[in-house]
Amino acid sequence: MSLLRNVIKASGLFHTYKQSGLRNVSSYISPLEGVRILDLTRIVAGPYCTMVLGDLGAEVIKIEKPGTGDEARLWGPPFIGSSKESCYFIAFNRNKKSVTINIQTEEGRGIIYSLAKKSDVLVENYVPGKLDSMKLGYDVLKGIAPHLIYCSITGFGPKGPYSRRPGYDVIAASIGGLVHITGPQGGEPCKVGVALIDIATGLYAHGAIMAAIIKRAKTGKGQKIDCNLLSTELSTLINIGSNYLNAGKEGSRWGTAHESIVPYQAFSTRNGYYTIGTGSNKQFEELCTVIGHKDLAKNPKFATNTDRVANRHQIVEILTKILSTKTNKEWESIFYKCSFPNGPVNDLKATFSDPHVQDIGIVKTMKHPTAGEIRLVGPAVQYSEGGNEVRTPPPNLGQHTNEVLTELLGFNGSKIDDLRLRKIIA
């Protein structure tokens, strides 16, 4: 509890809650309430990180380029209805305030300096050296705001021969081996269907920032955090990476199958594909029983997982013939109470219509200021005492510029008008 009190003190909330007479402080605040994030990120990894922090209650001030803003605003179609709001942008940018500042100008950078003094965390995802050249790097800002936690998200990190290269998810996944091990056996390498390395890097960054906030509560000092796509990708190779490093075993493509467990893959059915995983001999026996072929489990070729891996093609061929006789719905009904993991390969219509997905309420509906009604996938994590929520829709470009400059920095109307006239803000 003493650490919680230190964090609350560091965020400036302790006095407010003490005055209110609340005893159990954690029951009344979001995890990051009172923490301010200065967000200089675009595209996916950085915005995903700051969105998660915003879901947890942090105030996220998203700094965007006047006129165009975050590049993801232009990544369409599809757009929402007849608006110019891209579906791509709204996926990563809820719970944020948009402020447009031309950071290539001296006065624009001065505004960033002022905001940094009043912020707890700065997150950026520029190519290493870019913000340093604009006097917005960590070495400059730590002198202006020593308490600031400065998180850089890059493609390849701050050192090494690739450090100055731009980084995208599929490039990191290619260089890091993920594309090599993804795709059908014997087929071409494939990228994953969504930018998972971007997302994983954003999650790494969010966790690192949380840890740095806790450390600052102990030391009073900020620090620099470096996260990058390639290191994230290498860390997520897990057993495949370990197999190579420790046993010299090269990775390969298996489609939906598993190298070390059989059966563990998607099988074709009468109207689609259905995924089954039997992680133990007992589960394999159960599978054989419910599909009406109990004898398969007694066959010496398939008795143990080691046997099944050795005779993979035979058992997969047998199971494919059996599973192709019924539809996904029929197999789902048959497997409903089984102990082994199983489920249909859904398209997105089936995914969001799934009764479990609907029951947990993870899809949120809200009103966007220009696009009208929008739907978002909300936070994946729930807290027993609340506070991880979708509060506000993704902002329009520059929607909160006046609000932030007036309320946080004390600028008056004439100063804001002058800055706008000289295109420092928009």
Side-chain angles (χ1 to χ4, degrees):
M1 186 63 187
S2 59
L3 180 58
L4 172 64
R5 290 166 68 89
N6 286 339
V7 174
I8 295 170
K9 283 181 180 180
S11 66
L13 290 173
F14 184 75
H15 179 73
T16 301
Y17 283 96
K18 186 177 180 181
Q19 288 292 98
S20 68
L22 299 177
R23 292 176 179 270
N24 185 10
V25 173
S26 65
S27 297
Y28 294 89
I29 61 174
S30 295
L32 292 182
E33 185 175 336
V35 173
R36 182 174 293 123
I37 312 292
L38 190 54
D39 181 4
L40 274 69
T41 69
R42 308 96 60 219
I43 314 298
V44 179
Y48 194 86
C49 167
T50 55
M51 181 185 72
V52 173
L53 297 171
D55 289 348
L56 290 168
E59 179 188 11
V60 179
I61 300 174
K62 183 178 179 72
I63 305 300
E64 299 193 69
K65 182 179 180 180
T68 55
D70 186 331
E71 292 95 315
R73 288 185 180 276
L74 306 176
W75 284 7
F79 296 97
I80 303 174
S82 59
S83 76
K84 295 182 179 179
E85 301 297 328
S86 75
C87 294
Y88 214 110
F89 179 81
I90 71 160
F92 309 112
N93 288 286
R94 62 173 177 260
N95 291 338
K96 299 179 184 181
K97 297 177 179 178
S98 174
V99 175
T100 49
I101 300 174
N102 184 351
I103 62 174
Q104 297 192 30
T105 64
E106 185 174 349
E107 285 185 84
R109 290 191 289 272
I111 296 173
I112 298 297
Y113 298 155
S114 296
L115 289 172
K117 292 176 184 178
K118 293 180 176 289
S119 298
D120 297 281
V121 180
L122 183 149
V123 189
E124 59 90 7
N125 63 347
Y126 284 78
V127 173
K130 180 66 175 178
L131 289 184
D132 291 308
S133 69
M134 299 169 64
K135 299 181 181 179
L136 289 172
Y138 178 65
D139 288 341
V140 170
L141 285 174
K142 73 178 180 181
I144 295 170
H147 69 284
L148 191 68
I149 295 164
Y150 189 111
C151 180
S152 291
I153 300 174
T154 59
F156 302 98
K159 62 181 181 179
Y162 301 161
S163 63
R164 297 302 175 98
R165 289 173 59 173
Y168 281 82
D169 176 279
V170 70
I171 305 304
S174 295
I175 293 173
L178 179 61
V179 171
H180 171 69
I181 61 173
T182 304
Q185 190 173 17
E188 294 184 356
C190 297
K191 76 178 185 69
V192 181
V194 295
L196 279 182
I197 303 305
D198 275 336
I199 300 305
T201 304
L203 290 173
Y204 260 132
H206 135 261
I209 289 167
M210 299 280 275
I213 289 172
I214 293 173
K215 183 171 182 178
R216 190 184 63 186
K218 301 174 183 177
T219 66
K221 295 181 180 179
Q223 63 176 297
K224 186 170 189 279
I225 298 168
D226 280 297
C227 299
N228 71 83
L229 301 182
L230 182 59
S231 293
T232 294
E233 194 281 330
L234 293 171
S235 75
T236 57
L237 287 175
I238 53 170
N239 61 299
I240 303 301
S242 182
N243 288 349
Y244 175 77
L245 292 173
N246 298 292
K249 182 174 176 55
E250 181 59 76
S252 57
R253 292 183 284 283
W254 287 93
T256 62
H258 195 289
E259 182 178 12
S260 304
I261 305 172
V262 177
Y264 193 108
Q265 65 183 78
F267 293 89
S268 59
T269 66
R270 188 184 292 176
N271 68 336
Y273 291 88
Y274 202 95
T275 304
I276 294 170
T278 59
S280 69
N281 295 330
K282 185 177 180 180
Q283 288 182 339
F284 178 69
E285 291 174 13
E286 183 182 13
L287 169 64
C288 294
T289 299
V290 297
I291 64 175
H293 289 266
K294 199 172 184 178
D295 56 302
L296 287 174
K298 297 177 182 179
N299 188 322
K301 291 183 178 181
F302 313 134
T304 69
N305 184 67
T306 301
D307 297 324
R308 293 190 294 276
V309 170
N311 298 286
R312 175 191 301 270
H313 296 297
Q314 292 181 50
I315 186 61
V316 167
E317 184 178 354
I318 292 169
L319 291 174
T320 298
K321 287 180 179 178
I322 296 169
L323 289 163
S324 66
T325 62
K326 298 183 187 297
T327 66
N328 279 2
K329 281 291 184 184
E330 289 173 313
W331 286 123
E332 195 168 18
S333 177
I334 291 170
F335 297 146
Y336 182 70
K337 293 186 178 180
C338 290
S339 65
F340 56 84
N342 67 89
V345 176
N346 286 333
D347 59 17
L348 293 186
K349 180 179 180 181
T351 294
F352 288 112
S353 300
D354 185 281
H356 183 86
V357 173
Q358 292 187 339
D359 189 66
I360 62 176
I362 195 169
V363 176
K364 312 296 181 184
T365 301
M366 53 194 333
K367 196 77 171 177
H368 187 275
T370 55
E373 187 176 281
I374 62 173
R375 293 197 294 169
L376 306 169
V377 177
V381 178
Q382 294 184 348
Y383 289 72
S384 64
E385 300 194 24
N388 195 21
E389 304 168 10
V390 177
R391 299 174 183 82
T392 59
N396 285 340
L397 180 60
Q399 180 179 339
H400 303 92
T401 303
N402 282 17
E403 173 190 324
V404 169
L405 297 186
T406 301
E407 298 180 6
L408 192 57
L409 300 185
F411 288 11
N412 59 33
S414 60
K415 182 170 185 176
I416 290 175
D417 289 342
D418 177 62
L419 290 170
R420 185 166 285 114
L421 183 64
R422 292 188 290 120
K423 299 184 179 180
I424 308 299
I425 63 174

